[in-house]
Amino acid sequence: VNILGNTQQKTFTVIYDVDKKRIGFGAKGCN
Amino acid sequence: AAEGSEPKKWHVVSVSSLLPSTACTAAKAASKSSALRVVHRHGPCSPLHARGDAPSHAEILERDQDRVDSIRRRIAGASAIISDADRVADSKTVSLPARWGIPLDTTNYITTVGLGTPPRNLSVEIDTGSDLSWVQCKPCARCYEQQDPLYDPAQSSTHSAVPCGSRECQKVEAQRCAADDKCRYDITYADKSHTNGTVVRDALTLAVSHALPGFVFGCGHDNDMGPYDKIDGIFGLNRGKVSLPSQVAARYGGAGFSYCLPSSPSAEGYLAFGGAAPPPNAQFTEMVNGAEPSSYYLDLVGIKVAGRELEIPPAVFAAGGTIIDTGSVISRLPPRAYAALRSAFVRSMAAYRRAPALSLLDTCYNFTGHTRVRIPSAALVFAGGTTVSLNARGLLFVSTVSQTCLGFASTGDETT
């Protein structure tokens, strides 16, 4: 299995939209 | 670097900006009142920081490999593990079966929650790769030293036990019923660290005025997390039936959540639940099903470096699927994909001196003497064309100025 680890997730808003079965990424999420 | 509508092909960054500050930079007041503060476990923003004794980068990466190995074992051998567990249960032995491969050993981000009534603040790791939340708990037969006072059920007016035959107990994957009708759990991790205890429920305060009554979690009476962990427990965020998002959804409707992991140990991020509108710049990709039902899978199909898509057949990524995991530090790619990424990165970095490998990271550079460095942009391409451009901190793993590495590794196996 491939892994998308936390180094690559840093600073993005990562959105787990479980109801719509989708995952989102928004840049500069911690600001 | 190209600006405007064209994606950047290069990042030009100050070398000093890649290194973490020794002081905590507090986040601005969150617009999301229900958001929890998220910090790196070993950074200056962490309540655990004052204790020191953080692991080295090499030790973090070695534990990261243990975690990824455990994820692979869980996927490859789940049926065999369950058979072993059942065999032990059938023999009616007192000791509970250890569940291997529940990968919790290197989660790196923590948040603070309130547990009980009145709420006691506890610092817990957040982990999208696990299900049952747990904290160290009185009475404690064997607990490691932690930051805060132990959670004491006797001091909470809203604590109650979860009976063996209850629906909540049946939802816990690693549970076993005991003769005293208490619902017990037992988890052993990839590095042989473990927690076991009873499944209980109590009020959980996520933020001011955001309480979750009857939160089901593990009350750990016998715990060993290895030499570095001083955390009070772990909170599971995966798709399992007793994970925190699942319990939030059961109470409030909608299992969605979002987080931002800070770019540096000295900065803060957040974890938020509920139906807040996604940021306008968010790009979505389909959440797909994989071999491990409680994990979050994405359909990764390509990688771009410096604006050019690498020549990697999509089937290379499809063989094992791709899990998104807050608890793994380094992303793992199939060997052919990693080789293509590494080659493109090395070509783009020809101006810089190479440095020795760092544990599983084999492509490292020495930036000593440089105030600014120019590194290629990289982007992950998902099914449907969603393209997520990584910033410099998402491409590099910075140990020191003299040893800064490409922050990806190979799975070592094309077929999994």
Side-chain angles (χ1 to χ4, degrees):
Chain A
V1 65
N2 314 311
I3 307 283
L4 185 55
N6 65 40
T7 296
Q8 282 68 40
Q9 299 176 46
K10 285 177 185 176
T11 76
F12 286 96
T13 293
V14 184
I15 305 144
Y16 291 70
D17 189 345
V18 178
D19 298 330
K20 292 182 181 172
K21 293 194 167 85
R22 58 181 191 163
I23 290 183
F25 299 88
K28 299 180 180 174
C30 294
N31 294 333
Chain B
E3 298 289 351
S5 58
E6 286 292 312
K8 282 184 179 178
K9 292 184 177 178
W10 297 87
H11 298 290
V12 179
V13 293
S14 153
V15 172
S16 61
S17 73
L18 295 172
L19 300 170
S21 164
T22 54
C24 178
T25 305
K28 292 174 187 168
S31 57
K32 312 163 188 67
S33 61
S34 63
L36 303 171
R37 178 176 169 262
V38 172
V39 298
H40 194 278
R41 187 170 73 188
H42 302 302
C45 294
S46 169
L48 314 179
H49 180 65
R51 293 181 171 274
D53 66 10
S56 69
H57 286 111
E59 287 163 335
I60 287 172
L61 294 173
E62 283 160 17
R63 298 185 76 194
D64 206 46
Q65 190 56 48
D66 286 343
R67 179 184 176 95
V68 169
D69 289 345
S70 74
I71 292 173
R72 297 177 68 185
R73 275 199 300 272
R74 182 170 65 176
I75 290 168
S79 58
I81 293 166
I82 290 167
S83 296
D84 288 343
D86 289 345
R87 201 158 44 239
V88 176
D90 288 345
S91 69
K92 300 186 189 310
T93 55
V94 176
S95 63
L96 298 172
R99 294 284 180 141
W100 282 85
I102 299 176
L104 299 174
D105 44 292
T106 53
T107 23
N108 280 315
Y109 291 90
I110 63 171
T111 192
T112 302
V113 296
L115 205 52
T117 306
R120 301 292 298 266
N121 279 354
L122 297 171
S123 297
V124 295
E125 296 184 359
I126 57 171
D127 184 12
T128 60
S130 66
D131 187 23
L132 181 69
S133 303
W134 63 269
V135 297
Q136 293 204 105
C137 191
K138 282 186 178 179
C140 203
R142 193 168 45 161
C143 281
Y144 55 86
E145 184 186 8
Q146 69 173 42
Q147 165 72 14
D148 304 295
L150 287 176
Y151 166 76
D152 184 356
Q155 299 300 313
S156 173
S157 62
T158 46
H159 165 271
S160 62
V162 170
C164 233
S166 67
R167 200 176 46 191
E168 288 96 333
C169 184
Q170 299 308 313
K171 288 178 181 175
V172 176
E173 187 186 355
Q175 63 85 16
R176 281 291 179 273
C177 282
D180 57 6
D181 195 39
K182 287 181 177 172
C183 180
R184 296 186 185 276
Y185 76 94
D186 191 333
I187 301 171
T188 299
Y189 304 113
D191 60 355
K192 294 187 171 57
S193 61
H194 72 270
T195 173
N196 68 58
T198 52
V199 180
V200 300
R201 63 168 79 84
D202 205 342
L204 172 67
T205 304
L206 292 171
V208 176
S209 77
H210 286 269
L212 185 67
F215 175 63
V216 174
F217 62 99
C219 197
H221 302 299
D222 182 349
N223 319 291
D224 180 5
M225 284 291 114
Y228 301 115
D229 276 304
K230 302 292 184 285
I231 49 152
D232 303 337
I234 290 174
F235 269 39
L237 298 176
N238 77 5
R239 303 167 79 173
K241 291 176 180 170
V242 291
S243 73
L244 178 55
S246 295
Q247 293 194 55
V248 168
R251 172 66 56 174
Y252 297 113
F257 65 100
S258 61
Y259 58 74
C260 182
L261 308 179
S263 60
S264 157
S266 58
E268 292 181 2
Y270 69 85
L271 167 66
F273 294 91
N281 65 352
Q283 299 182 75
F284 285 88
T285 184
E286 187 184 359
M287 191 186 292
V288 296
N289 295 322
E292 173 55 44
S294 59
S295 293
Y296 296 105
Y297 281 84
L298 299 168
D299 195 359
L300 179 66
V301 297
I303 298 173
K304 288 182 177 177
V305 174
R308 299 181 66 173
E309 186 144 359
L310 303 178
E311 290 186 14
I312 307 166
V316 167
F317 293 105
T322 301
I323 287 173
I324 179 168
D325 178 24
T326 57
S328 295
V329 178
I330 299 299
S331 293
R332 266 58 168 200
L333 298 170
R336 274 199 284 175
Y338 177 69
L341 170 63
R342 183 177 181 273
S343 296
F345 184 76
V346 167
R347 276 197 303 275
S348 299
M349 297 291 285
Y352 301 102
R353 267 185 297 155
R354 292 294 292 267
L358 174 62
S359 184
L360 54 97
L361 304 179
D362 62 10
T363 306
C364 302
Y365 290 87
N366 184 345
F367 292 151
T368 304
H370 296 273
T371 53
R372 292 163 77 83
V373 291
R374 183 175 179 261
I375 62 172
S377 70
L380 305 176
V381 183
F382 296 98
T386 299
T387 301
V388 177
S389 298
L390 304 178
N391 59 35
R393 288 178 185 274
L395 185 60
L396 302 175
F397 184 91
V398 182
S399 175
T400 62
V401 170
S402 61
Q403 196 178 29
T404 296
C405 307
L406 174 63
F408 284 82
S410 169
T411 60
D413 185 340
E414 293 285 2
T415 59
T416 59

